[in-house]
Amino acid sequence: MPDIPAAPHSVIRRLWPFDRRIVRKHLLRLDAESRRLRFTGTISDEVLRAHADRLFRLDTVMFGAFVGGELRAVGELTTLGSGRPFEAEAAFSVERAWQSQGIGSALFSHLVLAARNRGMRVLHMNCLAENARMRHLAARQGMQLVRLEGDYDATLSAAAPTPATLAREAFSEMAAVLAAGARWSFGGRERASGSR
Ligand SMILES: CC(C)(COP(=O)(O)OP(=O)(O)OC[C@H]1O[C@@H](n2cnc3c(N)ncnc32)[C@H](O)[C@@H]1OP(=O)(O)O)[C@@H](O)C(=O)NCCC(=O)NCCS
């Protein structure tokens, strides 16, 4: 079974409640165009702060890509409402200077694996029609893309988890800890390994 593709020069790991502050800072660093593509509209700092807080209240699984110990990209996997059991939505934000370097693609693979391992039967992703990069990444994951008015709705029927997929996620997370080594980042502060 192939490994989850790595993004060059970055470490991807799960994000936890203690990461709330750095997630907020990452979202606030998004430029206007990235905000528009991510949230399909003009988004104020206040709305972004509320979004960051909501992520940690909702049933959301998040992965972050760290470059030099700083959180530069986030992939969000949010379980959809009770009317749509076992369905989840994926969304991504990569800071402008780190776009087109393979980070979004790597985060996407992490979210697809995480959705599968949590028994999600259908994975959704919605993006503006003009977001060619996002459409390209969705198609590469095997998602079916349907054009709506000004956007695209992408869906993927996830396969059932297997011991191998569960092991792959566990090993990937362990590898992230080892790769981060002394630069492992907790809440945005880097601590020397062994200092906790
Ligand atoms: C969209 C986004 C998540 C993609 O992440 P990324 O790290 O920039 O993308 P990657 O470098 O992993 O991959 C980009 C791919 O798109 C391709 N691409 C770039 N421009 C393209 C275009 N105009 N048309 C088609 N494909 C394009 C690249 O060639 C690459 O594919 P490849 O790996 O096969 O060569 C990121 O750019 C981003 O956060 N944008 C702003 C917010 C956003 O749009 N969020 C998505 C809404 S859910």
Side-chain angles (χ1 to χ4, degrees), residues 2-20:
D3 291 335
I4 308 175
H9 317 303
S10 73
V11 171
I12 294 180
R13 68 161 172 86
R14 275 283 302 271
L15 295 172
W16 302 99
F18 59 74
D19 291 312
R20 179 192 302 244

Side-chain angles (χ1 to χ4, degrees), residues 34 37 92 94 99-102 104-105 131-134 136 140:
S34 297
L37 290 171
F92 304 88
V94 182
Q99 291 176 6
S100 291
Q101 297 176 33
S105 178
N131 200 340
R133 256 185 308 201
M134 203 61 239
H136 176 79
R140 195 162 60 192

Side-chain angles (χ1 to χ4, degrees), residues 92 108 125-128 131-139 145:
F92 304 88
F108 213 142
M125 194 281 301
N126 182 271
C127 68
L128 290 174
N131 200 340
R133 256 185 308 201
M134 203 61 239
R135 286 193 281 118
H136 176 79
L137 292 185
L145 287 129

Side-chain angles (χ1 to χ4, degrees), residues 24-148:
R24 198 185 294 143
K25 285 171 80 175
H26 155 70
L27 290 172
L28 290 171
R29 281 194 298 266
L30 292 175
D31 64 289
E33 178 63 359
S34 297
R35 291 182 187 198
R36 190 181 70 80
L37 290 171
R38 164 63 186 86
F39 296 98
T40 66
T42 307
I43 295 294
S44 67
D45 286 358
E46 199 180 345
V47 170
L48 280 180
R49 280 191 201 96
H51 177 74
D53 289 345
R54 205 164 46 242
L55 284 175
F56 289 98
R57 286 201 302 268
L58 290 174
D59 191 8
T60 300
V61 174
M62 283 186 284
F63 289 88
F66 292 79
V67 183
E70 279 294 333
L71 181 65
R72 295 299 180 187
V74 169
E76 306 163 18
L77 181 69
T78 303
T79 308
L80 293 175
S82 54
R84 304 165 89 179
F86 307 113
E87 297 191 23
E89 180 163 32
F92 304 88
S93 53
V94 182
E95 291 176 30
R96 170 76 81 176
W98 284 269
Q99 291 176 6
S100 291
Q101 297 176 33
I103 291 178
S105 178
L107 280 172
F108 213 142
S109 296
H110 276 75
L111 288 201
V112 169
L113 182 64
R116 180 175 180 179
N117 283 343
R118 282 151 190 79
M120 294 298 151
R121 296 202 185 121
V122 184
L123 181 62
H124 297 268
M125 194 281 301
N126 182 271
C127 68
L128 290 174
E130 69 201 69
N131 200 340
R133 256 185 308 201
M134 203 61 239
R135 286 193 281 118
H136 176 79
L137 292 185
R140 195 162 60 192
Q141 291 289 342
M143 296 188 96
Q144 299 293 319
L145 287 129
V146 176
R147 171 108 199 217
L148 303 173

Side-chain angles (χ1 to χ4, degrees), residues 121-196:
R121 296 202 185 121
V122 184
L123 181 62
H124 297 268
M125 194 281 301
N126 182 271
C127 68
L128 290 174
E130 69 201 69
N131 200 340
R133 256 185 308 201
M134 203 61 239
R135 286 193 281 118
H136 176 79
L137 292 185
R140 195 162 60 192
Q141 291 289 342
M143 296 188 96
Q144 299 293 319
L145 287 129
V146 176
R147 171 108 199 217
L148 303 173
E149 295 255 311
D151 54 5
Y152 272 86
D153 201 18
T155 52
L156 179 72
S157 298
T162 66
T165 62
L166 293 167
R168 181 145 48 118
E169 183 176 344
F171 279 126
S172 165
E173 193 62 16
M174 201 190 313
V177 175
L178 295 174
R183 294 184 69 98
W184 184 248
S185 193
F186 283 93
R189 270 173 303 165
E190 293 181 353
R191 297 179 181 180
S193 59
S195 67
R196 41 188 315 273

